[in-house]
Amino acid sequence: MDDRAVACASSSLLTACHKVLEFGPLLNLNTLPASIRGGGRLKMLVIDDKAGAIALMLASLLFLGTWPALLTLLERRGRLPQHTYLDYSLTNFLAAVLIALTFGQLGGTKPNFVPQLSQDNWPSVLFAMAGGLVLSLGNLSTQYAWAYVGLSVTEVISCSMVVVIGTTLNYFLDNRINRAEILFPGVACFLVAVILGSAVHASNAADNEEKLRASGIEEPSKEVLNKDAPKDLENGACGTNHATKPKAGTAEFLIELEERRSIKVLNSSTFFGLGIVFFSGLCLSLFSPAFNLATNDQWHALPDGVPHLVVYTAFFYFSISCFVINVVLNIVLLYRPMAGAPKSSFRAYLKDWKGRQWALLAGLIGGFGNGLQFMGGQAAGYAAADAVQALPLVSTFWGVVLFGEYRKSSRRTYILLGLMLFMFVAAVAVLMASSGHRGSK
């Protein structure tokens, strides 16, 4: 069932991307907006209208809410996160290259992507690479933070920091092109949604504990799991004494999941985990402002006469930084793992093909998601583009479809879940309604 659901997800994403960004041989130039046509031939793709920017942000929200679900699927099947992130990093960088060589190099508009590689624009390049650095560190920290303090604490702290710090910085960096009277109520809606998300997780965790107590199992790892039983990580089977695969939402399902997954969440250090959460939130709140500085040079760091980095060039350098940091850190973590994950090696990674296709797909989706976010932010303001941080809208859907989350939960959990999703929808709508118009230079 997992493979069919993931295949359906990937098919729908590719269809959505094709419809939003399609440039086929039958394309009529007269039907294109003025911002991306001129002189009778197709030029570098530039979105500078509000409607186009909102469309890009919605597509980005879909993509950025989906790739973590694919990585979570592999983690729950027991694949080491280090192996998964190394695969993810390859195609994530590939996505940036594809975007730069297509959308950034479509025609004669200057500056295009390739000419900018040789220009004296190193101050902006360093800002872009700094953004990639903090995003990589933030994503990697978040991956392990919940193993120490749980999803609810991680979500409340990191998401709150991202929206409050990141959106505020972007608002002032963009010279207040976003409408403050709409933007900051949207931020408030987002914070309410995040707090409700924490309540949903806490309520669901209480439901799970009740299921375990009702089943008469207090220490599942000792009473139910058979450590010597063979595991089939790709198909989701693990060493349990169940004759048949347990149904989602049951105590047996929860027990099997904890044994199978690669990151263990039991007996973890809360104090150390809180430090990781705050570090993660700080990093994730800074990557978008850093990219904003790279493309708009608000601090006038570029030499006179040197054009600003276009989004595609900045995203290329941003992704180079992401790629290098992800590869280096995850190779280190192969030999010095965290959160109960077993040791591995680079040779073992090369031989681990179980689920690799989903990690590679996640990298492509994440790369295109970030690219679309930056394209929309450049047109309508990066503060409005922070609406894509409402990832639970998409991730909750995949959590139900792929992982059977919230099944057989209490009525209280379902009510909180509905309120959380409603507030995220409101936050996205309000933040996008605050979109301004930067215009093309």
Side-chain angles (χ1 to χ4, degrees), residues 36-318:
I36 59 174
R37 72 172 190 269
R41 64 172 174 167
L42 195 62
K43 295 185 177 182
M44 179 178 67
L45 178 64
V46 178
I47 303 296
D48 63 2
D49 63 284
K50 183 175 178 178
I54 290 177
L56 291 175
M57 287 186 277
L58 288 173
S60 175
L61 175 61
L62 174 62
F63 283 27
L64 294 178
T66 297
W67 73 260
L70 296 176
L71 266 58
T72 301
L73 174 68
L74 295 177
E75 189 273 323
R76 288 187 173 214
R77 290 180 171 185
R79 192 169 196 251
L80 292 181
Q82 304 96 305
H83 293 186
T84 298
Y85 260 86
L86 285 171
D87 289 335
Y88 168 89
S89 300
L90 293 173
T91 48
N92 189 263
F93 178 63
L94 176 62
V97 174
L98 291 175
I99 289 175
L101 293 178
T102 53
F103 301 150
Q105 197 70 21
L106 282 171
T109 298
K110 295 182 180 180
N112 273 356
F113 164 65
V114 173
Q116 284 207 310
L117 297 179
S118 59
Q119 292 176 350
D120 185 18
N121 47 27
W122 278 105
S124 292
V125 168
L126 292 177
F127 276 124
M129 298 186 76
L133 168 67
V134 292
L135 177 64
S136 297
L137 293 176
N139 281 339
L140 189 63
S141 301
T142 300
Q143 178 186 4
Y144 290 97
W146 64 268
Y148 290 93
V149 298
L151 179 62
S152 58
V153 175
T154 302
E155 185 178 78
V156 167
I157 295 176
S158 63
C159 289
S160 299
M161 292 178 68
V162 169
V163 174
V164 173
I165 299 176
T167 302
T168 302
L169 288 176
N170 278 322
Y171 173 72
F172 288 104
L173 284 174
D174 280 337
N175 199 23
R176 307 180 183 184
I177 65 173
N178 298 106
R179 299 173 61 185
E181 67 274 16
I182 299 178
L183 176 68
F184 290 105
V187 171
C189 290
F190 196 101
L191 293 177
V192 172
V194 168
I195 293 172
L196 287 171
S198 173
V200 169
H201 177 73
S203 178
N204 192 53
D207 294 341
N208 291 339
E209 292 179 3
E210 181 61 31
K211 293 171 189 175
L212 293 174
R213 282 196 297 267
S215 68
I217 301 171
E218 295 183 359
E219 296 187 44
S221 59
K222 295 180 180 179
E223 298 188 23
V224 176
L225 300 174
N226 180 0
K227 299 288 185 180
D228 298 325
K231 296 183 180 181
D232 182 359
L233 300 180
E234 177 63 15
N235 295 319
C238 72
T240 68
N241 288 328
H242 303 303
T244 59
K245 187 175 181 178
K247 294 182 179 180
T250 62
E252 291 77 11
F253 175 84
L254 300 173
I255 294 166
E256 179 181 327
L257 172 62
E258 176 62 25
E259 166 64 9
R260 187 173 65 237
R261 69 191 320 159
S262 57
I263 297 178
K264 306 301 181 183
V265 298
L266 299 178
N267 301 320
S268 53
S269 170
T270 301
F271 182 77
F272 181 67
L274 285 174
I276 296 178
V277 172
F278 279 104
F279 176 76
S280 170
L282 180 62
C283 289
L284 293 177
S285 65
L286 295 179
F287 84 88
S288 179
F291 194 92
N292 193 347
L293 287 167
T295 55
N296 296 297
D297 191 34
Q298 291 93 335
W299 291 352
H300 308 291
L302 289 174
D304 293 338
V306 177
H308 294 176
L309 288 185
V310 297
V311 171
Y312 312 107
T313 309
F315 185 47
F316 175 75
Y317 286 115
F318 176 93

